[in-house]
């Protein structure tokens, strides 16, 4: 739009605390409008409270509550309130932040604001915008679609804030991709689709990204029989998709895909079960439709790789997408079958619905060929993790204290929270098998822990972490939808590694 359009539709949002103190310095005209609105209403400035005026243009006051309590959940709630208020009135808007947010809160606010605008309407015959939904819920008739938001700050370090904004714009891009993949139906989002999306990303960023794909024939040659035990039950061929991002300064010019990097990469491994019926150990029908989200680990890794490419972080990263469909058929694995993993470990499969750990164990073994600095796997692995942590925090397991610390710090910066869970050797007792080296389930007690203990067996001499995101990767129930987590956590973790390397 040109300037005349902007002037016609622009709205202002001004943040005010519980003491009716503005967080930003305003022009005399705008300040007078704000004061008049305060004088004529009972606006109290409590968190997410709002009041609006419409003459001569929309003006919305949004409460931030107590300034010293503004952080984490409060910032998320504030951003959603700001967006929902603006989406009723305008196409373009200014949000006066002043000096009310430090750089960490500013990043969280900017990302939450962008995420509030996310829509997935690809399969609707007549796609509805956010404004349309607002109208249905009592918003202004014929509300315009909000497309531009200008954030106005008072700071002496504007470059630093701009860098934070750019980083979060890239993060939002990757998180939105992860959400799109999760929200897609499983008849379209299958292992082959992940291959297509990875190759399209490499085509978009050929200077830093290459893709290698391992299909079932090569898996058989490599001895990845745990992975094949899952994918064999489906007509959809299993795929291990490897995205090699070379962003470190001495690897600016991308090379042909290989297992060798000049600087050891970080490895991200995502569980990509594009639909999980449970296999022969079939799940109950109620709620099975949500098992399209069982690929969220791989979706978040692909989203992180997309965000990396846009942000151009100077770091080397390998993203591995372990993609398969878990279906019952005449070719499906039976409970009681024994197969061997890539390293020769024999695994007794007592429950085919514990399939994520099977595709992951072979994938973890494969990525160790890259001699990575750290491996982080991401998986919607266990319902037991939801019992333990609900839908707020992801479960974090690791064999390395430094990795735990860095992930916990990144989770606070991103407001994509984790909780450190135990990984004691004692739990391995539950995985003992009479007939094989290990069995794939450990019984009901500590189910999320024993799943992590199973994976730990396949990682040797490498710092490793496992993120169980079964409770956080999607919202369940009537409003079931992908959250795109833990893309924010992974991006903040990688950015933290860049900063630590630069500091040294």
């Amino acid at each position: 739009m040109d300037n005349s359009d902007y002037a016609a539709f622009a709205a202002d949002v001004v943040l005010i605390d519980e003491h009716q103190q503005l967080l930003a310095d305003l022009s005399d005209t705008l300040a007078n409008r704000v004061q008049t609105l305060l004088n004529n209403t009972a606006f109290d400035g409590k968190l997410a409270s709002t009041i609006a005026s419409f003459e001569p243009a929309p003006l919305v006051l949004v409460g931030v509550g107590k300034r010293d309590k503004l952080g984490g959940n409060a910032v998320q709630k504030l951003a959603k309130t700001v967006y929902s208020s603006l989406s009723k009135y305008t196409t373009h808007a200014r949000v006066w932040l002043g000096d009310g947010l430090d750089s960490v809160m500013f990043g969280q606010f900017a990302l939450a604001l962008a995420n509030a605008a996310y829509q997935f309407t690809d399969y609707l015959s007549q796609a509805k915008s956010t404004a349309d939904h607002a109208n249905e819920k009592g918003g202004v008739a014929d509300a315009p679609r909000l497309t531009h938001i200008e954030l106005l700050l008072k700071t002496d370090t504007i470059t630093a804030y701009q860098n934070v904004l750019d980083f979060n714009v890239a993060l939002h891009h990757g998180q939105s991709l992860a959400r799109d993949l999760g929200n897609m139906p499983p008849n379209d989002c299958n292992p082959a689709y992940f291959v297509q999306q990875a190759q399209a990303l490499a085509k978009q960023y050929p200077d830093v990204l290459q893709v290698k794909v391992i299909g079932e024939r090569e898996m058989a040659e490599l001895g990845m029989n745990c992975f094949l035990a899952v994918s064999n039950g489906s007509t959809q061929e299993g795929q291990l998709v490897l995205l090699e991002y070379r962003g470190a300064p001495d690897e600016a010019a991308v090379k042909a895909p290989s297992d060798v990097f000049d600087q050891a990469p970080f490895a991200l491994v995502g569980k990509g079960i594009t639909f999980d019926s449970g296999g022969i150990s079939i799940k109950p029908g109620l709620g099975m439709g949500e098992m399209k989200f069982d690929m969220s680990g791989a979706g978040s890794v692909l989203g992180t790789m997309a965000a990396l490419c846009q942000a151009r972080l100077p770091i080397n990263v390998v993203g591995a997408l372990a993609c398969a469909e878990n279906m019952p058929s005449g070719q499906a694995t039976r409970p009681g079958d024994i197969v061997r993993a890539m390293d020769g470990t024999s695994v007794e499969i007592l429950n085919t619905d514990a399939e994520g750990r099977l595709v992951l164990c072979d994938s973890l073994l494969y990525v160790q060929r890259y001699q990575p600095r750290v491996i982080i796997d991401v998986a919607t692995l266990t319902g037991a993790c939801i019992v333990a942590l609900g839908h707020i925090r992801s479960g974090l397991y690791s064999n390395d204290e430094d990795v735990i610390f860095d992930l916990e710090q990144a989770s606070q910066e991103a407001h994509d929270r984790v909780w450190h869970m135990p990984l004691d050797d004692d739990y391995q007792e539950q995985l003992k098998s009479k007939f094989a080296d290990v069995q794939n389930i450990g019984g009901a007690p500590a189910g999320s822990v024993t799943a992590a203990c199973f994976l730990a067996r396949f990682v040797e001499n490498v710092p490793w972490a496992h993120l169980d995101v079964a409770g956080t990767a999607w919202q369940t129930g009537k409003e079931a939808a992908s959250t795109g987590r833990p893309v924010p956590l992974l991006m903040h973790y990688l950015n933290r590694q860049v900063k630590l390397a630069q500091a040294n």
Side-chain angles (χ1 to χ4, degrees), residues 353-431:
D353 195 23
E355 85 299 328
R357 65 201 71 183
L358 298 176
V359 297
L360 284 175
C361 70
D362 275 334
S363 301
L364 287 169
L365 288 166
Y366 188 90
V367 298
Q368 288 171 70
R369 292 185 167 198
Y370 288 95
Q371 299 180 345
R373 291 178 56 182
V374 175
I375 300 173
I376 301 173
D377 77 70
V378 187
T380 51
L381 205 62
T382 65
C385 194
I386 304 175
V387 174
L389 299 176
H391 301 281
I392 307 300
R393 292 179 183 262
S394 303
L396 166 61
Y397 298 85
S398 181
N399 62 4
D400 187 276
E401 291 295 328
D402 289 336
V403 174
I404 292 169
F405 178 79
D406 284 344
L407 281 168
E408 287 180 332
Q409 292 299 304
S411 80
Q412 294 303 313
E413 293 169 5
H415 194 66
D416 187 356
R417 291 166 290 173
V418 298
W419 191 257
H420 180 204
M421 301 284 281
L423 200 62
D424 305 74
D425 286 341
D426 308 50
Y427 291 106
Q428 293 284 358
E429 292 293 318
Q430 294 175 226
L431 295 171

Side-chain angles (χ1 to χ4, degrees), residues 90-335:
T90 189
T91 59
H92 291 56
R94 294 175 289 250
V95 180
W96 297 82
L97 298 175
D99 59 0
L101 302 178
D102 63 26
S103 61
V104 172
M105 287 193 293
F106 172 74
Q108 292 179 7
F109 178 83
L111 180 61
L113 200 61
N115 283 342
Y118 173 84
Q119 300 178 60
F120 185 77
T121 58
D122 292 5
Y123 292 83
L124 296 178
S125 299
Q126 294 181 331
K128 294 181 180 181
S129 69
T130 301
D132 293 328
H133 289 296
N135 293 343
E136 291 177 354
K137 296 178 180 180
V140 176
D142 300 321
R145 172 77 186 279
L146 178 62
T147 56
H148 293 78
I149 300 177
E150 185 178 1
L151 303 177
L152 301 174
L153 301 163
K154 181 182 179 182
T155 177
D156 295 328
T157 56
I158 191 64
T159 300
Y161 276 81
Q162 183 63 54
N163 291 339
V164 170
L165 181 60
D166 292 342
F167 174 80
N168 280 282
V169 168
L171 199 168
H172 170 66
H173 168 69
Q175 190 172 2
S176 295
L177 173 59
R179 294 173 78 177
D180 285 347
L181 291 166
N183 290 330
M184 287 181 65
N187 55 313
D188 286 342
C189 185
N190 52 35
Y193 186 78
F194 267 97
V195 173
Q196 294 169 9
Q197 292 301 297
Q199 291 173 339
L201 188 63
K203 187 175 181 180
Q204 186 177 358
Y205 298 100
D207 58 326
V208 290
L209 190 66
Q210 287 276 10
V211 171
K212 178 163 58 179
V213 180
I214 297 176
E216 290 184 351
R217 178 178 294 182
E218 188 174 354
M219 288 182 195
E221 293 172 354
L222 291 167
M224 300 175 71
N225 298 304
C226 285
F227 196 122
L228 291 170
V230 178
S231 65
N232 279 344
S234 173
T235 56
Q236 296 288 339
E237 182 176 356
Q239 308 280 355
L240 177 59
V241 187
L242 299 152
L243 298 96
E244 301 173 352
Y245 173 84
R246 289 178 168 84
D250 59 349
E251 303 201 43
V254 73
K255 303 172 184 177
S258 71
D259 295 340
V260 179
F261 281 72
D262 293 338
Q263 289 186 24
F266 291 82
L268 308 177
V269 182
K271 172 188 171 184
I273 302 299
T274 58
F275 187 77
D276 182 16
S277 70
I280 296 298
S281 307
I282 196 163
K283 294 176 180 290
L286 185 64
M288 193 192 290
E290 289 189 20
M291 288 301 98
K292 71 175 187 174
F293 295 113
D294 209 23
M295 39 55 64
S296 296
S300 69
V301 170
L302 183 56
T304 300
M305 300 306 291
L308 267 177
C309 289
Q310 183 166 322
R312 296 284 173 155
L313 291 188
I315 191 173
N316 290 339
V317 181
V318 173
L321 317 178
C323 299
E325 194 176 53
N326 188 25
M327 298 289 284
S329 75
Q331 299 298 317
T333 296
R334 297 158 290 254

Side-chain angles (χ1 to χ4, degrees), residues 347-352 354 357-358 431 438-442 454:
V347 179
E348 183 181 15
I349 301 173
L350 297 179
N351 189 326
T352 64
R357 65 201 71 183
L358 298 176
L431 295 171
V438 63
Q439 61 190 39
N440 77 324
I441 56 172
F454 178 91

